[in-house]
Amino acid sequence: QVQLVESGGGLVQAGGSLTLSCAASGRIFTYNAMAWFRQAPGKEREFVASVNWNGGSTYYADSVKGRFIISRDNAKKMGNLQMNSLKPEDTAVYYCASSKYASTTYIRDEYIYWGQGTQVTVSS
């Protein structure tokens, strides 16, 4: 069993930066990939970024590539999402998720543990 708790959301101006954190409990977290998804009002939950079990491989949605950086620290059971050059369209609730596989993936159904989400609002 894995429990995930996100933090670090808030209100930021366009062009600014924000770093989200995901604190995990449960040993399984360190063996499997983790990701960040986001959901804007009235829209489907969408993939943002993922990292494999040891942090050696990452994958990003085109919409955030070059602006966001995903990382993890298995010793601390933590994951982070550094968000730079934020845009109003990045406004959403951001969710941390833990996969059932070790390899990085963008497929939502392969993530079986989810946090409660943290709100990110980017003002123009």
Side-chain angles (χ1 to χ4, degrees), residues 37-40 44-46 48 63-64 68 90 92-94:
F37 287 75
R38 66 187 182 186
Q39 187 167 17
E44 294 276 323
R45 191 171 299 189
E46 64 174 5
V48 175
S63 58
V64 307
F68 290 11
D90 294 318
V93 176
Y94 282 71

Side-chain angles (χ1 to χ4, degrees), residues 4-71:
L4 304 170
V5 179
E6 303 94 337
S7 62
L11 174 65
V12 63
Q13 287 189 329
S17 297
L18 210 56
T19 298
L20 305 182
S21 295
C22 176
S25 65
R27 198 174 55 171
I28 297 175
F29 173 82
T30 62
Y31 300 144
N32 295 330
M34 66 157 291
W36 291 89
F37 287 75
R38 66 187 182 186
Q39 187 167 17
K43 294 189 175 182
E44 294 276 323
R45 191 171 299 189
E46 64 174 5
F47 170 80
V48 175
S50 63
V51 59
N52 74 330
W53 74 278
N54 67 358
S57 178
T58 58
Y59 186 73
Y60 296 91
D62 288 343
S63 58
V64 307
K65 200 173 295 182
R67 299 189 297 124
F68 290 11
I69 300 172
I70 188 172
S71 62

Side-chain angles (χ1 to χ4, degrees), residues 71-91:
S71 62
R72 69 187 298 164
D73 184 337
N74 283 343
K76 297 181 180 178
K77 291 185 184 175
M78 291 285 297
N80 290 310
L81 183 69
Q82 181 181 334
M83 306 185 293
N84 303 313
S85 302
L86 282 161
K87 304 174 182 180
E89 50 263 45
D90 294 318
T91 295

